[in-house]
Amino acid sequence: MASVSCVLSEDQFLCSICLEVFTDPVTTPCGHSFCCTCINKHWDSSAHCHCPVCKEKFSSRPMLKTNTFMLDMVSEFKSKPRGEELNQIQERREKVHEIQRSVELIKPAPALQDWTEQSVRAPSYKGRVAKAVSELQNTKLMPKIKELTDNVFVQAKKHPVIVTLDPDTAHPNLYLSQDYKQVKYLHQKNNLPDTPERFSTLLYVLGKQKFSSGRFYFEVQVTGKTSWFLGVTEESVNRKVDSGDMTLKNGYGYICGRNHSVPLWSAVEKVGVFVDYGHGLICFFDAETSALIHCITDCHFTENVLPLFSPGQNYLGNNSAPLILTPVPN
C-alpha cells in the first residue's frame, strides 16, 4: 500500500495533456494545472474553452496564472541526475496510459488501484495491466519516487504558521484547552451562547488565524484517535447548517476514520497541512515520514480562509484523545 501511495503522489508533477513533467506550469480558474503550451494548444484546437480534467466550461478564454509552487518543485526535480531517473518513471507511466487507451476504458482511471479493478472486470487484459503496474513499482525506481514526495514536504514546511483554536466558534460538545491548542469531544454539552460565529450542529471549531493569500503549513497530532477531520474553510461558511447535511459547501479537508480512511493512514501520529491559497491547493502529509496522504487541487478560494478542525465523535469510547496543534520543527 505504501508503494502505491508514493506512485500516486507523483501525479502532481505530470501534465495530464502531454503526460510529462510540467513545463511552465499554469493553473486554470477551476484549479487544475497544465503546461502553458499544452493548455493553450488544447484551447486553440477547441471550439470552446474547457478544463481537460474536470470539463468545466469557461465563457471566455481564461487568464492563466503561473503555478509558482509547482514551478519551484519541477525546477528542482529536473536537475541532474534526478532528471534522467524521472524520465524513466514517465516512460513507465506512459505505458500504463497506452494500455488504458488500448483497452478502451470509458474514463481515465485516477489511481493504480482503479486500473487494477478495471483489469479484473476485463480479465483478458489483466496480465498486460498487471505488468505495467509492476514496472511502475520497480524497486530501483520507488526510492526515487519517494524522494519526489519528500521534496514536496520540505517545500511545504518552509511556510510554517502558528495556529490557535477560536473558542467562539467551537460546537458546544467540544472542549478546548486553556492554551487553545487542543480540542476533544465531550458527551455533555457546554452551556454556551448560540452566537452567529459558533457551529451549532456540526462538530467543528475554527482557527483564529485568517489567510487571504500566500502559503501556510501547520501540524496536528492525531495520536490515539479513530476519527478526525482537518482542513480549511472560507470565513462565510454556514455555521448553522442542518445536521442532516454533513458537508460544508465552502470547506475543504480530509476525514480519517474507520469507514473513511485507507487503513495505512489510521496509524498516522501527526498530520501536516499545507495550503497554497493562490492555486487552490491543499496537501496532507504524514509529518513523521513526509508521506503524502491526500491532495486537493481544485479549491476555489475567494475570501479569507481559516483552519478547520473536528476531533470526531466518541460515542463508543474509543476516540477520546484530543487533536493537538503542535509547533512545526525546524
Side-chain angles (χ1 to χ4, degrees), residues 32-223:
H32 293 106
S33 295
F34 308 92
C35 298
C36 183
T37 300
C38 291
I39 188 62
N40 279 304
K41 284 185 177 180
H42 178 78
W43 286 343
D44 288 341
S45 60
S46 302
H48 303 284
C49 291
H50 67 275
C51 175
V53 174
C54 67
K55 307 304 180 184
E56 179 176 340
K57 294 182 179 179
F58 308 112
S59 57
S60 59
R61 191 157 181 156
M63 292 288 292
L64 297 172
K65 294 183 178 180
T66 299
N67 189 331
T68 54
F69 177 72
M70 193 66 69
L71 185 61
D72 292 343
M73 293 292 91
V74 170
S75 296
E76 184 172 355
F77 297 155
K78 283 187 174 180
S79 62
K80 290 185 177 181
R82 190 176 297 154
E84 297 175 359
E85 296 156 353
L86 195 55
N87 287 337
Q88 293 178 334
I89 296 171
Q90 290 174 212
E91 289 175 1
R92 284 159 175 76
R93 292 189 58 83
E94 289 172 10
K95 288 183 181 179
V96 173
H97 282 276
E98 182 179 355
I99 292 173
Q100 188 180 57
R101 289 191 292 270
S102 70
V103 298
E104 298 181 349
L105 298 180
I106 296 175
K107 183 179 181 181
L112 289 177
Q113 296 98 317
D114 294 331
W115 287 327
T116 304
E117 290 169 4
Q118 289 281 359
S119 69
V120 171
R121 290 193 289 271
S124 61
Y125 298 102
K126 184 175 181 179
R128 296 172 63 189
V129 175
K131 181 179 179 181
V133 172
S134 177
E135 288 181 352
L136 272 173
Q137 295 176 327
N138 184 298
T139 55
K140 293 181 179 180
L141 292 175
M142 288 312 303
K144 301 306 177 183
I145 298 173
K146 174 66 165 59
E147 186 177 352
L148 301 184
T149 307
D150 290 343
N151 275 281
V152 177
F153 180 64
V154 170
Q155 292 298 319
K157 288 186 66 176
K158 292 181 178 180
H159 306 277
V161 294
I162 297 175
V163 175
T164 54
L165 303 171
D166 185 351
D168 294 334
T169 67
H171 183 280
N173 278 102
L174 297 182
Y175 170 79
L176 274 58
S177 62
Q178 292 185 351
D179 61 359
Y180 302 129
K181 290 287 188 177
Q182 302 185 30
V183 56
K184 66 180 180 178
Y185 175 83
L186 293 178
H187 289 289
Q188 185 175 355
K189 285 188 176 181
N190 293 304
N191 184 18
L192 299 171
D194 187 15
T195 60
E197 295 79 18
R198 190 178 307 282
F199 286 96
S200 58
T201 56
L202 300 182
L203 291 171
Y204 289 129
V205 60
L206 296 175
K208 288 185 178 181
Q209 291 70 26
K210 303 176 183 180
F211 303 91
S212 59
S213 63
R215 303 160 184 163
F216 59 94
Y217 173 86
F218 59 92
E219 294 184 350
V220 184
Q221 181 177 310
V222 297
T223 303

